[in-house]
């Protein structure tokens, strides 16, 4: 016993020393981890998602937790808490134990509101700026137990802290859930997490600022490019068309679905466009100043580039076909006057400042347009913004006499019309349209049904060259193909890429087969559906059928050896369809 009493103090000292060593070692590891965080954050400041993923990975390693999330505020100046971006990371152990359906929802979702659990705590921290450390979530009244149960992930403990920028503004929150050892987060964890988040705030803020600078540069670059290429029309031009006698619809032939796309010269197209506005009653109904209308049309024409296909003639032809469909099929009785105005203006503006290259090329080349608008419907967003820029130019606002509500509604409809010419959007919405028509469930009183219909009309007019008589259709096809080949040449020379079949001039002999795929995959189903909706449009479908037969004849003249390769070609063409726009 006496020996034991003498020995125990030494044991206590040894244990105490071991504990001190373990604590100091832990603090050393944490300090080293913080230094690594700093290094990580300042090593990568160009990609927000990469920065945040590094942050979450470090936080999860530091605090040994099951989940980590970072939520960024949409507007740091707004008193209303609304998160615009959210990022989530699950530990390997958590991922293995979590239900597959929940994991899929996390992996596929980019929206905080879609799946994020415990949003009540995140919003509380973002609004108060105070950290929240909950050791037993189900015993805390601030915790949303119902959301936890729905998610399928059981939360035991929560540590959530605000993320500040260098101006001491809250830009988001960081949150960790459930320590892996089952214990609650202690004061040491909270202090570490708060210190960690200080560096996170700096890294995120720097990345956001970098992105803003990059977008500002892209915006300036696009603006300078536009200014250097385009100019507004002259007063002499405006006076000329203002005083001109505008031919009747019957003289111009613009009410004919089979109108010759190449029959009018550039000035005649302006007078024909003026006639469409007058004939549809838009000048009278919306009190459009005639001189302003002339000026606007001439400036729109000037803001189309001299590219082979997506030029002013194409814009006019799309508008003419819309006019013919509206008047021939009686859609004027279905659509409102505001909708018709948005469609006509949308057709004339839908390819403004087109550069002869598609969205995929903008993304691949990292153009200023892609940096400014992103990689989704890049050009279509640019076309719409360009249309707005012209309308806002002095003496060009043809909508000046609309009421504030009509103006707001019209601009929304105009944006929908122009964005609808993105083929990606067409693919997303056409199934819904086809099913509604085939089941006889189209209801013109339902807002979404009208929107889908307008989108399909825009696509039908944009692709309308395929509905024209053979010689006209073939001439248009040769123009668009030549423009595609020029893009393919640039892909090969500038980007060092092998262009897909549609853009490869080395495969120009395969044009008939390309057209068969194009007609069967995209055009025919759309026009067949439109005819089901309105039989008066059957002449359009008849022309598509005739033109398909002509391309089939040309295809059959190809050598048997080339025909044998059609299977592999068809596959490559299908893969390239979404690349066309």
């Amino acid at each position: 016993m006496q020996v034991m009493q003498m020995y125990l103090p030494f044991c206590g000292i040894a244990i105490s020393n071991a504990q001190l060593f373990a604590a100091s070692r832990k603090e050393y590891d944490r300090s080293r981890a913080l230094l690594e965080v700093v290094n990580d954050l300042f090593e990568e400041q160009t990609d927000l998602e990469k920065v945040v993923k590094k942050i979450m990975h470090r936080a999860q390693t530091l605090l040994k937790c099951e989940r980590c999330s970072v939520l960024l505020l949409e507007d740091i100046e707004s008193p209303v808490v609304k998160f615009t971006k959210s990022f989530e990371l699950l530990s390997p152990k958590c991922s293995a134990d979590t239900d597959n359906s929940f994991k899929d929802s996390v992996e596929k979702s980019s929206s905080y509101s879609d799946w994020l659990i415990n949003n009540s705590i995140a919003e509380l921290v973002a609004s108060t700026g105070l950290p929240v450390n909950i050791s037993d979530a189900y015993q805390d009244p601030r915790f949303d137990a119902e959301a936890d149960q729905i998610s399928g992930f059981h939360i035991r403990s929560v540590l959530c802290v605000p993320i500040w920028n260098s101006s001491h503004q809250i830009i988001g929150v960081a949150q960790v859930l459930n320590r892996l050892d089952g214990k609650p987060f202690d004061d040491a964890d909270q202090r570490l997490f708060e210190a960690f988040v200080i560096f996170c705030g700096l890294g995120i803020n720097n990345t956001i600022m970098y992105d803003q600078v990059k977008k500002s540069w892209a915006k300036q670059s696009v603006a300078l490019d536009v200014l250097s290429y385009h100019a507004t029309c002259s007063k002499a031009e405006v006076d000329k068309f203002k005083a001109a006698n505008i031919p009747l619809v019957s003289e111009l032939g613009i009410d004919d679905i089979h109108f010759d796309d190449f029959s009018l010269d550039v000035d005649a197209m302006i007078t024909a466009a003026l006639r469409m506005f007058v004939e549809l009653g838009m000048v009278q109904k919306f009190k459009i100043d005639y001189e302003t209308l002339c000026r606007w049309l001439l400036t729109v024409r000037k803001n189309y580039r001299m590219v082979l296909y997506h030029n002013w003639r194409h814009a006019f032809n799309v508008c003419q076909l819309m006019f013919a469909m509206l008047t021939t099929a009686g859609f004027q009785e279905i659509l409102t006057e505001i909708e018709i105005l948005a469609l006509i203006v949308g057709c004339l503006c839908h390819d403004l400042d087109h550069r002869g290259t598609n969205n995929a090329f903008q993304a691949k080349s990292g153009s200023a347009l892609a940096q400014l608008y992103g990689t989704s419907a890049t050009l279509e967003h640019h076309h719409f913004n360009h249309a707005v820029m012209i309308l806002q130019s002095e003496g060009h606002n043809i909508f000046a006499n609309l009421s504030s509500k009509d103006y707001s509604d019209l601009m929304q409809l105009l944006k929908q019309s122009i964005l609808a010419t993105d083929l990606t959007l067409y693919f997303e919405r056409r199934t819904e349209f086809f099913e509604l028509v085939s089941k006889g469930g189209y209801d013109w009183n339902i807002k979404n049904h009208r929107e889908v219909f307008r989108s399909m009309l825009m696509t039908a007019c944009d692709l309308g060259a395929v509905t024209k008589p053979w010689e006209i259709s073939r001439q248009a096809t040769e123009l668009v193909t030549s423009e595609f080949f020029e893009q393919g040449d640039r892909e090969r020379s500038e980007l060092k890429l092998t262009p897909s079949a549609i853009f490869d001039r080395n495969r120009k002999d395969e044009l008939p087969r390309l057209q068969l795929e194009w007609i069967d995959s995209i055009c025919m189903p759309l026009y067949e559906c439109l005819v089901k909706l309105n039989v008066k449009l059957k002449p359009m479908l008849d022309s598509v059928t005739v033109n398909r037969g002509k391309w089939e004849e040309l295809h059959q003249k190809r050598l048997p050896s080339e025909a044998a390769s059609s299977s592999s070609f068809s596959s490559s063409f299908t893969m390239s369809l979404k690349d066309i726009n």
Side-chain angles (χ1 to χ4, degrees), residues 104-121:
D104 289 343
S105 71
V106 170
E107 289 168 1
K108 293 178 182 177
S109 174
S110 60
S111 171
Y112 142 81
S113 60
D114 287 343
W115 51 263
L116 184 72
I117 53 180
N118 194 29
N119 57 316
S120 58
I121 301 299

Side-chain angles (χ1 to χ4, degrees), residues 271-285:
T271 58
L274 286 168
R275 172 53 65 188
M276 284 187 263
F277 274 86
V278 172
E279 194 70 22
L280 291 170
M282 292 184 290
V283 174
Q284 305 90 317
K285 167 64 181 176

Side-chain angles (χ1 to χ4, degrees), residues 256-272:
D256 185 1
I257 282 177
H258 290 148
F259 172 81
D260 183 348
D261 287 353
F262 303 96
S263 62
L264 302 180
D265 62 29
V266 290
D267 283 349
M269 286 187 277
I270 293 290
T271 58

Side-chain angles (χ1 to χ4, degrees), residues 451-493:
E451 183 180 336
V452 172
F453 172 66
R454 294 194 307 271
S455 295
M456 294 301 113
L457 277 185
M458 288 298 298
T459 302
C461 294
D462 195 19
L463 309 182
V466 75
T467 70
K468 298 302 176 76
W470 167 244
E471 290 303 326
I472 300 170
S473 181
R474 179 168 184 170
Q475 188 176 346
T477 299
E478 289 172 350
L479 285 172
V480 72
T481 302
S482 296
E483 188 177 285
F484 282 174
F485 287 163
E486 287 194 355
Q487 175 178 315
D489 293 342
R490 291 185 62 185
E491 289 181 4
R492 186 177 279 110
S493 63

Side-chain angles (χ1 to χ4, degrees), residues 264-536:
L264 302 180
D265 62 29
V266 290
D267 283 349
M269 286 187 277
I270 293 290
T271 58
L274 286 168
R275 172 53 65 188
M276 284 187 263
F277 274 86
V278 172
E279 194 70 22
L280 291 170
M282 292 184 290
V283 174
Q284 305 90 317
K285 167 64 181 176
F286 299 107
K287 299 181 175 62
I288 300 175
D289 179 74
Y290 194 71
E291 181 178 332
T292 301
L293 179 60
C294 292
R295 184 180 297 108
W296 176 81
L297 278 169
L298 287 164
T299 298
V300 166
R301 181 178 73 178
K302 279 185 175 290
N303 279 264
Y304 275 91
R305 301 194 177 206
M306 301 298 289
V307 294
L308 289 170
Y309 183 75
H310 291 97
N311 49 36
W312 162 244
R313 182 174 295 281
H314 168 65
F316 171 80
N317 289 334
V318 172
C319 184
Q320 179 278 321
L321 187 53
M322 179 66 75
F323 176 81
M325 290 177 72
L326 289 171
T327 53
T328 299
F331 291 140
Q332 283 177 279
E333 301 171 9
I334 295 171
L335 298 170
T336 66
E337 291 168 319
I338 286 282
E339 287 176 313
I340 292 172
L341 179 59
L343 288 171
I344 292 296
V345 173
C347 287
L348 290 170
C349 296
H350 82 282
D351 272 334
L352 274 170
D353 195 46
H354 199 291
R355 284 90 188 286
T357 52
N358 63 6
N359 286 332
F361 184 86
Q362 308 306 319
K364 292 172 187 174
S365 62
S367 71
L369 287 176
Q371 293 181 47
L372 182 58
Y373 299 110
T375 55
S376 176
T378 304
L379 288 169
E380 288 71 28
H381 279 101
H382 178 57
H383 303 324
F384 171 71
N385 285 345
H386 203 95
V388 173
M389 181 187 74
I390 293 174
L391 286 167
Q392 291 177 344
S393 300
E394 185 178 356
H396 289 78
N397 189 2
I398 58 174
F399 306 146
N401 293 319
L402 272 67
S403 67
S404 58
K405 183 183 184 306
D406 283 348
Y407 185 87
S408 176
D409 291 344
L410 178 60
M411 294 308 292
Q412 185 63 32
L413 291 169
L414 178 60
K415 184 174 185 178
Q416 289 174 0
S417 297
I418 293 177
L419 294 186
T421 59
D422 177 11
L423 275 183
T424 302
L425 183 62
Y426 165 68
F427 279 117
E428 290 175 1
R429 307 205 74 172
R430 73 174 190 172
T431 301
E432 179 184 4
F433 178 66
F434 293 169
E435 290 179 353
L436 283 170
V437 173
S438 64
K439 294 176 181 178
Y442 229 92
D443 187 342
W444 300 109
N445 294 316
I446 298 177
K447 182 179 178 181
N448 182 60
H449 288 197
R450 299 177 73 87
E451 183 180 336
V452 172
F453 172 66
R454 294 194 307 271
S455 295
M456 294 301 113
L457 277 185
M458 288 298 298
T459 302
C461 294
D462 195 19
L463 309 182
V466 75
T467 70
K468 298 302 176 76
W470 167 244
E471 290 303 326
I472 300 170
S473 181
R474 179 168 184 170
Q475 188 176 346
T477 299
E478 289 172 350
L479 285 172
V480 72
T481 302
S482 296
E483 188 177 285
F484 282 174
F485 287 163
E486 287 194 355
Q487 175 178 315
D489 293 342
R490 291 185 62 185
E491 289 181 4
R492 186 177 279 110
S493 63
E494 296 175 20
L495 307 181
K496 309 305 178 186
L497 298 173
T498 300
S500 55
I502 305 170
F503 301 91
D504 193 346
R505 70 171 65 251
N506 295 329
R507 302 175 71 172
K508 61 183 178 181
D509 292 340
E510 296 174 344
L511 179 59
R513 189 160 54 212
L514 276 167
Q515 286 303 300
L516 289 175
E517 289 281 357
W518 169 257
I519 292 171
D520 292 344
S521 301
I522 296 178
C523 304
M524 189 70 79
L526 174 59
Y527 295 110
E528 285 176 342
C529 193
L530 284 170
V531 170
K532 288 179 183 177
L533 192 65
N534 192 313
V535 72
K536 291 180 180 178

